[in-house]
Each structure stands twice: as structure tokens, then as C-alpha cells.
Amino acid sequence: MRQLLLLRHAKSNWDDPTLNDHDRPLDAEGRAAATALRAAMLDLGLAPELILVSSSRRTRETLELLEPLAETTRVLRSSELYLASPAQILEQIAAIPAETRSVMVIAHNPGLHDLAMMLIGSHAISLNQPGTLRVARGFPTAALAEFSVAGPWPTLAQGARLVRFLTPHDVQQTVQNNA
């Protein structure tokens, strides 16, 4: 089995109207959410071998807040992931070497949400499989969808099984419950 983690960048700052969209940084809420997500990922043992990250500032800053990563984790920055469609994201994933078992993509909506919905498929949503309705309702900033992938990366478009869907609200609830 392979593991695919789809992570939407954390909440970004819109305060500076002179910045273009690509250069917007994270805001304080986004930084806190990404930091909390890092702790949740460690608790769950989520440690991707390869991270594909959009070239935007907010995705790169999200990644920085997930560090330190395992020494063996490779990071590939791709301008093609900036505001990418599901097809463009799939193209990037299809090029991943077969021996890579766990991949994280840090990118943007609507591409990530649309890709997650495509992977889940309407059948799983109609059966109300765990988490699928939550994904269908939206993919907020700093949300993480974990998928189990049976086949090789180039066949990902045929679907995958949603394992979990974490939002900043879920992570915050966990932190409060453990406090």
C-alpha cells in the first residue's frame, strides 16, 4: 500500500494589497494551525518520504512549520503545483518513482479539494464512508486528507481510500482534550 497526504496550505495573510497572490505569507492563525498539525502528524506517525510543494510563499511557509522532517524526506518544489488543477496534480504524482511509498502534496484549492473528491468517488460519499461527507463539505486551510493507495502512482486517478481527514478544528480539539 502507498500513502498519499493532501495538505492545503495554512491560512494566509491578505493585509498587504501590494503583494501578488503567489507571495502572500501565512498569518498568525495559519502559523498556529500548521504548528498544531505538525504535532498531530507526529502523534499519528505520518512521515512522508517525499513532499511535493507548490512554489507559493504560503505553501513553503506551511512546510517550514512542519519541520524538522525525517532525514530521509525529500522535498521537491514545483511551480506547476501553484493553483494546479486535479489533472496537473495527478501528473506530478504519476511521475513519482515506484519505490516511493508515502507522498505529501502541499498545494491549493480548488485543486486539492477537487482531487480529494475525485479520489473518494461518488460511491463512497453515497455510502457515507467515514470522513467522506466532511471532505465533500470543503477542504479548509491547513486541512490534511490521508489516502491509502493500492496501485502504482500512475493509476491514482482510479481512486483511493480515504483514511482520515483532519482540519485545524480537529487538531485543536485534540490539543484541548489532551491538556
Side-chain angles (χ1 to χ4, degrees):
M1 277 300 176
R2 288 175 173 72
Q3 177 189 60
L4 175 65
L5 303 167
L6 300 179
L7 174 60
R8 184 176 175 198
H9 63 80
K11 189 171 179 358
S12 61
N13 188 321
W14 290 85
D15 290 346
D16 186 348
T18 64
L19 287 179
N20 68 34
D21 182 70
H22 190 271
D23 296 329
R24 285 189 295 112
L26 296 182
D27 67 10
E29 182 182 335
R31 290 185 173 286
T35 301
L37 181 63
R38 178 186 186 281
M41 288 178 62
L42 288 172
D43 287 347
L44 294 167
L46 301 178
E49 296 171 54
L50 173 65
I51 299 176
L52 303 177
V53 61
S54 162
S55 59
S56 77
R57 182 174 175 183
R58 60 192 178 270
T59 53
R60 289 180 288 120
E61 287 183 359
T62 299
L63 173 61
E64 288 170 9
L65 292 166
L66 298 179
E67 294 175 339
L69 302 166
E71 288 183 24
T72 57
T73 301
R74 295 175 297 139
V75 176
L76 297 175
R77 187 186 307 176
S78 172
S79 59
E80 293 176 22
L81 286 174
Y82 175 64
L83 303 179
S85 69
Q88 291 168 312
I89 298 169
L90 282 172
E91 187 176 306
Q92 296 283 308
I93 294 170
I96 294 170
E99 64 273 7
T100 304
R101 308 303 288 172
S102 178
V103 175
M104 174 183 276
V105 177
I106 306 174
H108 311 267
N109 267 357
L112 281 181
H113 184 239
D114 293 345
L115 176 58
M117 294 304 298
M118 184 188 79
L119 294 177
I120 290 169
S122 58
H123 180 71
I125 292 171
S126 66
L127 293 176
N128 192 20
Q129 291 181 351
T132 58
L133 288 177
R134 291 183 62 222
V135 174
R137 286 188 207 112
F139 208 109
T141 53
L144 176 72
E146 178 187 356
F147 289 91
S148 176
V149 180
W153 295 118
T155 65
L156 179 61
Q158 296 171 8
R161 184 180 62 80
L162 180 68
V163 175
R164 70 175 50 96
F165 184 61
L166 292 175
T167 66
H169 177 75
D170 300 328
V171 173
Q172 185 61 31
Q173 291 281 8
T174 302
V175 169
Q176 288 174 350
N177 291 340
N178 291 336

